Amino acid sequence: MSASVSSREQQVLDRIERARNRRAKVKEERITLSHGSGGKATQTLIEAIFLDAFRNPLLAPLDDAAAFTVDGARLALTTDSFVVSPLFFPGGDIGDLAVNGTVNDLAVSGARPLYLTAGFILEEGFPVADLSRIVDSMRVAADAAGVAIVTGDTKVVQRGKADGCYINTAGIGVRPDSVELGMSTVRPGDAVLVSGPIGEHGVTVMLARGELDIEADLVSDTAPVHGLVADLLAATPGVRAMRDATRGGVATILNEVARAADVAVVVDEGAVPVGAEVRGASELLGIDPLYVACEGRIVVVVDGGEADVALAAMRAHPLGREAAVIGRVRADPPGLVLLNTVFGGTRICDLLVGDPLPRIC
């Protein structure tokens, strides 16, 4: 531990470490919205229920996609479900969100996305015109990402038993021989980058619900990032890990990196790109943009000596024009994310228990 840490700070860090080392246990008797937030409640649910039951070497890393080899073919497989409300929002809808989200989970695992599945759960009375609009969005998004939707399923439930339309997707892609990514490979000295302004999707969806008297000229950042990732990997052999910052936002991803690699991630708050509209809406809502979901942004950890090369490669792509180096990895204190604030102080940037903006994907 660094000598700059005071005795009181050390006591706080020790308490956090003890809490993190406890065996995960779901204390609630029933599922709450916080269990789907991507934060502490979600991690506890996954570790105590799903991981405990299904534990195997492919699942254990809890990456966005499982990486495995079949008869010499290096593959990646992912699945995701989408329950966004409202179904249609500025810049996108549940259809292109489902395609882009699945493509992105494959892309950040280093895979080239190939094929998707699509499962629909529809509520009795859902307008056929809305379903056609959603499916058309999926077709356009799949064409743009160069993937094919090759199989699917449809179920209909009674009126009032769902919320219009839910979509589940799965995706499979091929991993190049030269690419080996994983959060556990991150080491002190590495640099942390984000591909563009954060929080635009989550705030857009929240404002689209019309529950708040806030006006902002915002659209979702939903987009397929496979092209950006391919350019980055081609230019930067020192990429350690990548994640798309969806539920829980950038802060949650950084905490996952810190825990998986047993390192500290130190972020410069002033370097994090946040648009004026997102910052203003977040202040009015009382939330931190670092915890707000994106759907077309990636967090990248690269060898510290290749940070400038990685940044240039990202900025050369249309989806990475506003990419930035936002922090560095160091050894201490392990397992924590520290935020150097614009006011000159430093605070721990921990996982949230719940989600300030539920049902945004």
Side-chain angles (χ1 to χ4, degrees), residues 107-132:
V108 295
S109 73
R112 177 168 58 90
L114 294 176
Y115 303 108
L116 305 186
T117 72
F120 295 84
I121 297 176
L122 306 174
E123 183 181 8
E124 179 187 19
F126 187 66
V128 172
D130 285 351
L131 179 60
S132 295

Side-chain angles (χ1 to χ4, degrees), residues 7 18 33 54 60 98 134 167 227-228 236 278 298 334 349 357:
S7 175
R18 287 196 297 272
L33 280 175
F54 304 144
I134 289 167
I167 300 176
L228 171 64
T236 319
V278 170
I298 59 174
C349 189
L357 304 176

Side-chain angles (χ1 to χ4, degrees), residues 111-270:
R112 177 168 58 90
L114 294 176
Y115 303 108
L116 305 186
T117 72
F120 295 84
I121 297 176
L122 306 174
E123 183 181 8
E124 179 187 19
F126 187 66
V128 172
D130 285 351
L131 179 60
S132 295
R133 181 179 170 187
I134 289 167
V135 169
D136 189 58
S137 290
M138 295 181 74
R139 176 189 59 79
V140 172
D143 289 346
V147 298
I149 298 174
V150 295
T151 189
D153 182 55
T154 304
K155 295 293 188 296
V156 178
V157 299
Q158 295 98 327
R159 190 185 301 269
K161 300 297 184 181
D163 193 6
C165 174
Y166 302 146
I167 300 176
N168 172 268
T169 52
I172 192 165
V174 176
R175 297 181 298 128
D177 291 338
S178 59
V179 177
E180 289 290 349
L181 303 176
M183 291 191 292
S184 62
T185 67
V186 173
R187 62 193 66 171
D190 288 346
V192 181
L193 298 85
V194 67
S195 62
I198 65 172
E200 293 177 352
H201 174 75
V203 172
T204 296
V205 171
M206 176 56 72
L207 298 184
R209 292 174 183 166
E211 300 170 352
L212 302 167
D213 189 19
I214 301 175
E215 293 185 5
D217 186 19
L218 270 176
V219 298
S220 169
D221 59 16
T222 177
V225 302
H226 62 296
L228 171 64
V229 168
D231 289 354
L232 173 63
L233 291 175
T236 319
V239 175
R240 309 275 197 215
M242 291 183 288
R243 294 293 291 269
D244 56 330
T246 53
R247 290 182 309 167
V250 170
T252 296
I253 299 302
L254 297 180
N255 272 277
E256 291 172 353
V257 169
R259 292 185 63 181
D262 199 30
V263 295
V265 179
V266 183
V267 177
D268 180 0
E269 185 179 30

Side-chain angles (χ1 to χ4, degrees), residues 2-21:
S2 171
S4 63
V5 177
S6 70
S7 175
R8 184 173 181 179
E9 289 171 332
Q10 184 63 58
Q11 291 175 0
V12 173
L13 297 177
D14 289 343
R15 286 200 299 270
I16 293 172
E17 184 64 19
R18 287 196 297 272
R20 286 180 168 175
N21 288 334

